[in-house]
């Protein structure tokens, strides 16, 4: 159980990110469970599905769902707005304008089919828009000719990440340009887009740095060397 003073965002993140912290394991588990609750409920899952996902009792899952909706009341209202948009127009659009037609399923007499279409409308609004952002990022990387300017090979998009293999001497310059491609404006959003940066010898051995600065990259390489005995530089 976390001491009261650890229940700040900064305290929790310090515990989650530091393997040496005595509460690291507990914080990492809480983070993983919270993320599952957030994503499953955002796409329409109810307590029964959350219980199955987390392998817990349904009443405990309902408490998690209630806590999430209490913390983020606007999210539920936003989902309702998206569903009404889909029902009103027979389709739903991403923030970039791509459309998914759902009129037939939304008007189905089969309650399961209609309910599924409602969940799909919300999912498409979120995941479709996120997919557009990712495509814009690696499209911008191509236009910047990053694979020609640097010792870099594009691996591909993995969910909401863009993955490259980059030579260490080019790392700082490359990260600066790639990060710029990741945070470009999208969809008229007012809140600035942020993107994290991590690197390491493999997908499972990564260090996340605080910003794409040369100093942060240097410290990140030192941390990689300490944790994974790589790179030798």
């Amino acid at each position: 159980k976390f001491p009261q003073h650890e229940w700040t965002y900064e305290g929790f993140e310090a515990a989650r990110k530091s393997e040496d912290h005595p509460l690291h394991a507990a914080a990492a588990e809480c983070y993983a469970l919270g993320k599952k609750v957030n994503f499953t409920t955002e796409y329409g899952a109810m307590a029964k599905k959350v219980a199955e996902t987390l392998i817990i009792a349904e009443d405990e899952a309902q408490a998690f769902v209630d806590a999430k909706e209490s913390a983020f009341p606007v999210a539920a209202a936003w989902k309702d707005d998206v569903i009404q948009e889909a029902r009103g127009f027979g389709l739903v659009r991403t923030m970039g304008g791509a459309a998914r037609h759902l009129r037939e399923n939304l008007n189905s007499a089969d309650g399961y089919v209609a309910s599924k279409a409602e969940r799909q409308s919300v999912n498409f609004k979120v995941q479709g828009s996120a997919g557009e952002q990712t495509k814009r990022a690696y499209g911008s990387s191509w236009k910047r000719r990053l694979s020609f300017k640097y010792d870099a090979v594009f691996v591909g998009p993995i969910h909401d990440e863009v993955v490259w293999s980059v030579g260490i001497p080019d790392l700082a310059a490359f990260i600066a340009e790639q990060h710029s491609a990741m945070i470009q404006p999208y969809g008229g959003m007012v809140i600035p887009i942020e993107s994290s940066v991590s690197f390491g010898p493999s997908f499972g051995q990564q260090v996340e740095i605080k910003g794409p600065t040369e100093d942060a990259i240097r410290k990140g390489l030192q941390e990689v060397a300490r944790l994974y005995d790589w790179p030798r530089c």
Side-chain angles (χ1 to χ4, degrees):
K1 188 175 182 180
F2 287 96
Q4 187 64 36
H5 72 276
E6 293 286 357
W7 282 116
T8 63
Y9 177 80
E10 293 76 13
F12 179 85
E13 283 294 278
R16 184 177 72 86
K17 292 182 177 181
S18 174
E19 295 184 358
D20 297 329
H21 197 288
L23 295 173
H24 170 72
E29 181 181 13
C30 287
Y31 177 83
L33 294 175
K35 187 174 182 179
K36 288 179 181 179
V37 172
N38 183 54
F39 277 93
T40 54
T41 55
E42 200 62 25
Y43 299 136
M46 306 300 285
K48 183 177 180 180
K49 181 63 177 179
V50 173
E52 292 173 355
T53 301
L54 301 184
I55 316 178
I56 59 176
E58 191 169 333
D59 57 346
E60 187 178 1
Q62 185 63 59
F64 287 174
V65 173
D66 293 342
K68 185 258 185 177
E69 292 185 351
S70 176
F72 304 101
V74 176
W78 176 83
K79 284 193 295 183
D80 289 340
D81 288 344
V82 173
I83 292 170
Q84 292 307 312
E85 172 193 340
R87 287 195 170 278
F89 294 99
L91 57 84
V92 64
R93 293 188 181 275
T94 63
M95 293 177 66
R100 178 167 185 176
H101 296 268
L102 293 164
R103 185 186 303 278
E104 182 177 347
N105 287 350
L106 286 168
N107 292 333
S108 173
D110 186 327
Y112 174 79
V113 173
S115 177
K116 182 178 179 181
E118 290 183 350
R119 293 193 300 272
Q120 288 173 331
S121 68
V122 176
N123 194 343
F124 184 72
K125 177 75 80 172
V126 176
Q127 298 284 44
S129 297
E132 286 178 342
Q133 285 185 277
T134 305
K135 292 171 187 175
R136 281 166 56 87
Y138 59 78
S140 178
S141 302
W142 172 256
K143 291 179 181 178
R144 295 165 189 250
R145 316 297 282 177
L146 299 189
S147 58
F148 301 97
K149 292 168 65 175
Y150 304 109
D151 178 16
V153 176
F154 180 52
V155 176
I158 299 180
H159 298 297
D160 59 350
E161 298 180 351
V162 174
V163 181
W164 289 77
S165 176
V166 184
I168 293 173
D170 287 343
L171 193 61
F174 172 87
I175 285 178
E177 286 210 60
Q178 180 59 52
H179 184 264
S180 178
M182 296 294 288
I183 63 172
Q184 59 186 305
Y186 165 75
M189 293 174 63
V190 177
I191 298 175
I193 296 171
E194 296 186 357
S195 179
S196 61
V197 179
S198 69
F199 50 78
S202 70
F203 291 136
Q205 298 173 308
Q206 294 275 308
V207 167
E208 186 172 319
I209 63 174
K210 296 180 179 179
T213 65
E214 290 191 15
D215 183 59
I217 293 169
R218 177 181 58 79
K219 291 179 180 178
L221 286 171
Q222 291 174 349
E223 185 68 3
V224 168
R226 183 184 73 83
L227 292 174
Y228 309 118
D229 195 28
W230 178 97
R232 295 188 178 280
C233 60

